[in-house]
Amino acid sequence: ATPYFTRMSADARDGDLAGVRADLSASMRTIGLLVTGSAAALAAAALPFAAVFSNAPREVAGIGGVLLAFLIGLVPFSMVFLMQRVYYALGDTRTPFLFQLVQSAIFVAGALVVAVVAPGPVVAAGIALVTSFAGTAQAVVAALLLRRRLGGQGGRRVALRLGTYLAATVPATAAGL
């Protein structure tokens, strides 16, 4: 992401919002490819990786469940990271703070629900799932705000590409499992 941030910063400095949009789109597509591929590998390896830390099947399933729940939010987390960098390139630190507040509120509410409702063995996976959900909501809010700020071109291309990558992870993950 660092080379893209440098380019986005230069484009923002020059007032070239089209360049910022193009760099953001390219970075989301490139990093999306890397992250979805990595997520597929990690999903297939979640249980064997968990077995490194325990021989007890119940503990392995618990650790593996936490890893899988976190993987659900890996792509949105990566996209938030990139969108934050766009705001920083534009000299705006207030907006990322605001969409972080949205994520934090969703996480706290969800974590409280999980802590009260979920049975003991699945609390950790539930918290990880809430984290993924809150991060996904944060990514949506950040994208909508950024779309308004940059003029909203290129989002469909990124969404289609990410959809293609995610679809490709299904058979890859299945083969890995």
Side-chain angles (χ1 to χ4, degrees), residues 14-95:
D14 297 340
D16 180 10
L17 291 183
V20 173
R21 275 193 310 268
D23 291 335
L24 176 61
S25 176
S27 67
M28 287 182 140
R29 288 179 280 120
T30 301
I31 291 172
L33 173 64
L34 297 171
V35 171
T36 54
S38 299
L42 289 169
L47 292 176
F49 177 74
V52 169
F53 299 101
S54 176
N55 290 331
R58 186 176 180 156
E59 289 178 11
V60 169
I63 294 168
V66 170
L67 291 172
L68 292 171
F70 274 130
L71 284 176
I72 292 169
L74 189 59
V75 171
F77 173 82
S78 300
M79 298 303 114
V80 167
F81 179 83
L82 293 168
M83 289 184 278
Q84 286 173 331
R85 296 318 175 265
V86 172
Y87 280 106
Y88 300 154
L90 295 170
D92 180 358
T93 56
R94 182 175 168 258
T95 305

Side-chain angles (χ1 to χ4, degrees), residues 133-146:
F133 176 74
T136 301
Q138 180 185 22
V140 170
V141 169
L144 292 173
L145 293 172
L146 196 56

